[in-house]
Amino acid sequence: MKYRAVKGTRDLFPPESERFARAEEAARRVFGAHGYGEVRTPSLEATELFARSVGETTDIVHKEMYTFLDRKGRSLTLRPENTAGVVRAIVENRLASGPMPLRLWYAGPQFRYERPQAGRYREFRQIGAELLGVPGPAAEIEILTMLFAFLGALGFQGLVVALNSVGTAASREDFGKALQGYLASRSEGFGEDDRRKLAENPLRLFDSKDPAVRAALEGSPRTTDFLDPDSKRHHEEVRRLLGHAGIPFRDEPSLVRGLDYYTRTVFEVASSELGAQDAILGGGRYDKLVESLGGPPLPAIGFAIGEDRLVQVAPRPAPSGGLFYVLPQGPEELDEALRVAAELRSLAAGAVEVDLLARGFKKAMARANALLEEAASRGLEREKIFAVLLGAREREDSTVTIKRLSSGDQETVPRAQLAAWIAGRA
Ligand code: HAM
């Protein structure tokens, strides 16, 4: 075969593409109900934006970005995440000095040059939300309440937030130094990349998948031991309010997240159905990012859900809706079949398909019965799949013969009575 999808990218067809659409529709509905409006930012940004926000020494910027020079020699990057672009857009369009709070959500493709495996792609999709302008714990509560409303709408149950606080830049620095001290005598087995992290940005060691690093980190200092008094108070208040709001969480002292812009609250949600290191979603507070990208001081918090992973583990909804498969006996009935289909659609009786190939009842019925077998994967109710037969006789009598495929029962109905027939059965 000559042409293949680029490694780590994929094509989505029904029913899988429908699952993505369903997740995006739920996001629009639930986030909209919380006052969040949709933002769409470009897939391409200046490379410098990610280096400055996500952080030069993170895995994402250091080795996972799709970066290239355009024809004028400018360094551009396919966005590896959307928070940096949203903040850039807010600052550029002067929304950062407008009315607060600002509530935005997004859905779209992101790109990371990672080793592809189950649930990990080079082009993947995220659904996320960002709340700007709220310094207090009420922001955490709104964001996590909304997140759980969304997960609940998709039928998830029993998910728990892993929660931590990484404090301020100053407390992170103290923590980093303590970590360097702790690991100094424990880093013999580290690879070159992890040695670099130990020297440049020790927090990033928590992103390492190397068992030697993971073992060395066990019993290491915790971020929460280094929090300044305000961050500590903030964290305690977040925990207290989450309890009141009924959001299930557990403390996860080793959670630091793989991006440098976080301050104070960080969180993730994992599913036991994905591999141990694969979170469905992650997020946190980034109180300094707007300012560092040229805007005013503006506290903010948000999350991004890995849509591919979400769809993979989301409970399948019960099938709902029906299908009318209109079968013209031959080419002479095709015109009439198209009219009957239009009539059925105007009755809003579920999906309507016409056998445009007009290949005769026998062949078309074989296809219709195959549809019955596909019902579950297409989200259709078996009992609501009908073949609508249109032969010469029906055309002359202005009738249609409707056959319920699951039982084989059939009935010839005057066209004028279609609405009444459907109201009682479909
Ligand atoms: P992140 O943790 O880098 O955070 O990504 C969020 C989610 O995207 C992950 O939990 C995972 O489900 C999904 N994801 C990441 N990489 C891949 C991949 N290669 N294949 C499939 N799914 C993947 C962020 O991106 C932050 N912007 C989140 C945020 C928003 N923080 C504040 N606001």
Side-chain angles (χ1 to χ4, degrees):
M1 213 182 308
K2 200 165 174 191
Y3 299 109
R4 310 190 123 254
V6 171
K7 184 172 177 187
T9 71
R10 49 195 189 132
D11 307 303
L12 298 173
F13 290 100
E16 203 177 9
S17 52
E18 302 290 342
R19 294 189 194 122
F20 281 77
R22 178 173 161 260
E24 288 153 26
E25 279 156 21
R28 182 177 300 282
R29 190 174 68 249
V30 174
F31 298 169
H34 287 75
Y36 287 67
E38 188 188 7
V39 58
R40 299 188 190 204
T41 64
S43 300
L44 272 181
E45 297 278 358
T47 303
E48 176 59 21
L49 174 71
F50 301 112
R52 175 127 191 98
S53 56
V54 175
E56 200 85 63
T57 54
T58 57
D59 282 351
I60 296 177
V61 172
H62 195 68
K63 50 189 182 196
E64 293 173 0
M65 294 206 303
Y66 279 92
T67 296
F68 59 94
L69 296 181
D70 75 1
R71 289 170 188 279
K72 288 267 165 66
R74 287 169 288 230
S75 180
L76 302 181
T77 293
L78 283 173
R79 61 181 182 194
E81 61 101 56
N82 217 356
T83 306
V86 167
V87 171
R88 194 263 316 133
I90 287 170
V91 172
E92 183 174 345
N93 294 282
R94 300 189 196 292
L95 300 178
S97 24
M100 289 296 149
L102 203 50
R103 295 181 167 98
L104 296 167
W105 73 275
Y106 51 80
Q110 319 291 332
F111 306 85
R112 295 183 193 177
Y113 195 87
E114 291 193 81
R115 199 162 55 80
Q117 58 188 72
R120 183 170 301 152
Y121 307 96
R122 290 183 172 171
E123 182 191 35
F124 61 98
R125 286 141 279 260
Q126 284 185 340
I127 296 177
E130 314 290 351
L131 167 62
L132 296 104
V134 183
E140 273 86 344
I141 307 310
E142 173 167 297
I143 277 287
L144 286 165
T145 303
M146 180 168 88
L147 183 57
F148 269 69
F150 169 76
L151 294 169
L154 290 180
F156 281 96
Q157 283 175 344
L159 293 178
V160 176
V161 180
L163 185 75
N164 197 22
S165 173
V166 294
T168 59
S171 53
R172 284 169 62 133
E173 203 175 314
D174 291 345
F175 171 66
K177 288 201 181 107
L179 206 55
Q180 279 168 331
Y182 178 82
L183 290 172
S185 60
R186 294 175 170 83
S187 57
E188 308 87 59
F190 287 16
E192 192 191 329
D193 197 39
D194 289 321
R195 282 177 191 281
R196 172 186 65 84
K197 288 180 181 170
L198 181 59
E200 291 176 359
N201 190 352
L203 264 73
R204 295 280 64 91
L205 285 168
F206 285 97
D207 311 332
S208 177
K209 291 166 181 96
D210 180 355
V213 177
R214 299 198 151 250
L217 284 171
E218 268 182 40
S220 72
R222 299 168 162 221
T223 55
T224 39
D225 296 334
F226 293 84
L227 296 183
D228 57 285
D230 282 348
S231 294
K232 205 177 179 71
R233 244 192 318 275
H234 183 95
H235 189 51
E236 287 315 315
E237 194 61 3
V238 166
R239 296 175 71 252
R240 190 178 70 80
L241 292 173
L242 281 179
H244 284 188
I247 305 290
F249 71 92
R250 64 180 162 74
D251 295 313
E252 185 56 71
S254 64
L255 180 68
V256 297
R257 308 267 302 123
L259 304 91
D260 278 349
Y261 51 59
Y262 291 114
T263 53
R264 298 191 170 171
T265 309
V266 289
F267 58 87
E268 279 183 2
V269 174
S271 157
S272 53
E273 290 177 50
L274 291 168
Q277 284 167 36
D278 283 338
I280 308 181
L281 64 92
R285 188 172 266 288
Y286 50 97
D287 288 343
K288 299 292 170 196
L289 184 59
V290 180
E291 206 176 346
S292 85
L293 294 180
L298 191 65
I301 181 171
F303 61 80
I305 303 163
E307 195 179 354
D308 304 74
R309 296 180 187 176
L310 178 86
V311 161
Q312 186 187 330
V313 297
R316 299 276 180 267
S320 71
L323 173 69
F324 288 85
Y325 190 46
V326 184
L327 276 56
Q329 188 164 27
E332 313 76 54
E333 280 80 34
L334 191 51
D335 188 27
E336 190 68 1
L338 291 170
R339 267 195 294 276
V340 169
E343 216 170 301
L344 286 167
R345 288 192 187 105
S346 73
L347 298 170
V352 182
E353 272 179 44
V354 179
D355 177 31
L356 294 178
L357 300 175
R359 55 197 139 182
F361 286 155
K362 197 158 168 255
K363 280 196 183 148
M365 277 310 287
R367 170 71 195 128
N369 284 313
L371 284 173
L372 198 59
E373 300 316 310
E374 292 166 15
S377 70
R378 293 183 57 168
L380 295 168
E381 290 170 81
R382 274 177 70 84
E383 292 67 39
K384 291 193 178 170
I385 301 183
F386 300 93
V388 180
L389 299 141
L390 200 62
R393 186 169 55 88
E394 280 88 356
R395 181 157 50 97
E396 269 156 36
D397 300 351
S398 267
T399 57
V400 289
T401 297
I402 308 182
K403 182 174 177 133
R404 193 191 294 270
L405 292 176
S406 57
S407 63
D409 298 343
Q410 73 175 48
E411 215 176 317
T412 298
V413 183
R415 291 266 296 277
Q417 284 167 30
L418 261 184
W421 190 92
I422 284 170
R425 291 167 187 84

